[in-house]
Amino acid sequence: MDAPEFRADSLGVFVTFHRKKEIVAMWNRKDGDHEVTTKVTTKVTENQQVILDKLAESPEITAAELSEILGISLRKTKDNMRKLREAGLIRHIGPNKNGHWEVIDQQQ
């Protein structure tokens, strides 16, 4: 491996590190060119698990109804639902008033 190169100018000091060509080639491969193992885990809280279970049982359930079941505020319930949406665990289908919730199967 080559030694690092140092360069200074009015913006600062720059250091260039050289990598072995084999490593660069490995990083530039497409996923199909080598085996990649990725373990993705999404941790959900107890309240979020209850939300997932209730949405799976009754997709038309409202956040207000979930809030009563959980015994937490509507704001906290909506916050938990937002986190589940952002994690890709649930999605809302259709308009706000007449739509329904779908629990996304993570085993696909």
Side-chain angles (χ1 to χ4, degrees):
M1 192 167 0
D2 295 334
E5 293 177 19
F6 296 89
R7 178 176 57 90
D9 63 22
S10 61
L11 296 175
V13 177
F14 299 88
V15 181
T16 303
F17 295 95
H18 299 278
R19 291 176 260 173
K20 290 184 177 182
K21 291 180 184 178
E22 300 83 28
I23 294 173
V24 174
M26 181 184 72
W27 286 344
N28 290 332
R29 283 189 212 154
K30 294 181 180 144
D31 284 343
D33 293 342
H34 65 288
E35 187 176 327
V36 176
T37 304
T38 305
K39 182 176 180 182
V40 178
T41 55
T42 303
K43 293 185 179 183
V44 296
T45 65
E46 187 175 321
N47 284 339
Q48 290 169 349
Q49 187 59 55
V50 171
I51 291 170
L52 288 171
D53 294 340
K54 294 299 179 186
L55 292 177
E57 290 172 15
S58 178
E60 292 83 22
I61 196 166
T62 65
E65 292 169 325
L66 286 169
S67 176
E68 284 191 34
I69 291 168
L70 293 167
I72 61 175
S73 70
L74 180 59
R75 185 179 68 79
K76 288 283 188 187
T77 301
K78 287 182 177 182
D79 187 46
N80 278 308
M81 293 174 78
R82 177 188 53 79
K83 290 176 183 175
L84 291 170
R85 272 196 318 271
E86 289 173 355
L89 297 174
I90 62 172
R91 69 175 153 226
H92 192 264
I93 309 294
N96 288 341
K97 289 197 175 214
N98 297 322
H100 65 277
W101 290 98
E102 181 179 79
V103 177
I104 301 168
D105 181 12
Q106 295 296 302
Q107 302 301 317
Q108 297 176 359

